Amino acid sequence: MNTFPGRRTHVLAAGTATAALMLVAACTSSDSGGSGSKTAAGGVELVKAGQLTTCTHLPYPPFQSEIDGKVQGFDVSLIDLVAKDLGVKQQILDTPFENFKTGAFLNSGECDLAAAGMTITAERKKNVDFSDPYFDATQAVLVDKNSGVNSLADVKAKDVKLGAQAQTTGEDYAKKQGFDPVSFESSDAVLNGLRTGQVKAVVIDYPVVQGWLKDKANADAFKVVDNLNTGEQYGFTVKKGNAELVAAINKALAAAKADGTYKTLYEKWIGPYDESAAAPSASASAS
C-alpha cells in the first residue's frame, strides 16, 4: 500500500478557479446572529462564518473534480443545496482520503463536513456521524482490452496484476477476495496505472469508471468485465454529535429527492436515473 504524502490541504472555492492558502469568509446574516455569525440557519454551528467548509479528496469524478477551472460534481452540487438552505456558500478543502476514515479534519475544526463519495461502514461510524445515504454504489472491474481478462475470477486465475485506490472499499474488497492489489493514492493515479501498464486490471467505484469511459481513448483501450454489487451506499460525514448539521443535510437531500432536483443532478453527473437511488433504505455496512 502506498503511504500518503505529508498533510496535503488545498483550499478550493466551489465554482472558482483559484486554490488559495486561506479562505476569506464573506459576512452573512443568520437566524441567531448578525453579520459574520458562525451560527447559520437551523442553529447549525459553522467552523468559519459565512461558509460551509467541505473536506474532499480531489479528483474523484463524477463526485468531485476540477472541470474548466471549477470544482464540480455530484457531491458538490448536493452540498451546495445544503449551503443554500443555511444561507452561506460552500468552500472546499482538498485533503488526503485517509483522514475521512478517522474524521481528523472534522475533529480539528478545519471542516464542517466531508463529501468524497464515501461508503457508509460500521467501522467509519465509530469516528464520524453519517447523513442519510444519498447514492447506491457498485464496484467495477476495468481491464486492458489486451489483457485476456473477462472477469474478476480471470484476474486471479491468470495472475494479472490488479490495482485499486488506497483506503477505499474497493481496495478492501480486493483484499478480502485474496488479492494483493497495487495501491494508488487517487482515482487519477489508478487510471494512469492502467494506462501505463503498471496494472492490467483495477477495482474501483463504477460511477468513476463510467466517467472514464466517456473519453474515447479510454473506451478504446479498456472494458468493464465485472460489476460487483457490494451493497455500498455513500453518505456525507460530520463530526460526531453534530446533530444539527446532519439534520440540515438530510433535510436538503429529502427536499431534492421530492422536488426532482436530485434526479436532475443525478442525470447530469452520474447517468440514467435509477428510481432506487432515491428510495429510502437503511445505511449499508459494507467495508
Side-chain angles (χ1 to χ4, degrees):
M1 179 185 300
N2 293 343
T3 56
F4 284 87
R7 189 157 104 164
R8 179 179 67 91
T9 58
H10 297 125
V11 175
L12 302 159
T16 70
T18 305
L21 294 177
M22 295 179 63
L23 284 172
V24 180
C27 291
T28 184
S29 296
S30 70
D31 289 348
S32 58
S35 178
S37 173
K38 287 187 178 180
T39 305
V44 175
E45 293 294 326
L46 303 174
V47 297
K48 290 183 181 291
Q51 66 187 47
L52 183 63
T53 310
T54 301
C55 271
T56 194
H57 180 63
L58 297 171
Y60 202 65
F63 298 95
Q64 53 272 320
S65 60
E66 283 196 67
I67 304 171
D68 298 328
K70 299 178 182 180
V71 183
Q72 302 182 62
F74 189 57
D75 284 359
V76 177
S77 296
L78 290 177
I79 297 303
D80 274 343
L81 299 177
V82 180
K84 182 179 179 181
D85 285 351
L86 297 179
V88 297
K89 296 291 186 181
Q90 179 180 189
Q91 294 284 349
I92 294 175
L93 186 65
D94 185 20
T95 67
F97 190 77
E98 61 185 349
N99 291 288
F100 290 71
K101 302 174 84 170
T102 64
F105 288 114
L106 299 173
N107 293 330
S108 65
E110 293 181 65
C111 293
D112 294 298
L113 62 89
M118 186 160 63
T119 300
I120 300 168
T121 73
E123 184 65 28
R124 292 171 182 174
K125 283 182 178 180
K126 295 176 183 178
N127 300 314
V128 296
D129 285 343
F130 277 91
S131 69
D132 289 337
Y134 68 91
F135 183 78
D136 293 334
T138 59
Q139 295 288 331
V141 180
L142 186 72
V143 305
D144 186 307
K145 285 185 175 180
N146 296 321
S147 65
V149 170
N150 294 300
S151 66
L152 184 61
D154 256 3
V155 175
K156 182 174 289 187
K158 298 178 180 179
D159 197 25
V160 171
K161 191 170 287 187
L162 179 71
Q165 184 174 346
Q167 305 289 329
T168 65
T169 52
E171 182 183 59
D172 290 345
Y173 180 85
K175 289 179 177 179
K176 287 179 180 178
Q177 301 307 309
F179 293 96
D180 181 20
V182 177
S183 188
F184 297 95
E185 182 191 350
S186 68
S187 60
D188 271 9
V190 172
L191 179 58
N192 188 58
L194 198 56
R195 284 173 171 163
T196 58
Q198 296 176 62
V199 294
K200 291 294 184 181
V202 299
V203 175
I204 196 164
D205 289 11
Y206 182 55
V208 175
V209 170
Q210 285 179 296
W212 290 345
L213 295 182
K214 289 179 181 178
D215 182 290
K216 186 178 185 302
N218 290 334
D220 288 345
F222 312 121
K223 65 179 180 178
V224 175
V225 295
D226 251 337
N227 202 321
L228 313 168
N229 186 357
T230 52
E232 295 180 51
Q233 292 179 302
Y234 291 170
F236 300 118
T237 64
V238 305
K239 183 178 180 179
K240 285 198 77 67
N242 193 346
E244 292 80 11
L245 184 51
V246 169
I249 296 170
N250 290 344
K251 179 182 177 182
L253 290 175
K257 289 176 179 180
D259 67 15
T261 301
Y262 181 96
K263 179 176 184 291
T264 298
L265 294 175
Y266 190 102
E267 290 177 338
K268 176 180 180 180
W269 294 110
I270 308 298
Y273 182 66
D274 181 352
E275 286 293 339
S276 67
S281 53
S283 297
S285 57
S287 56

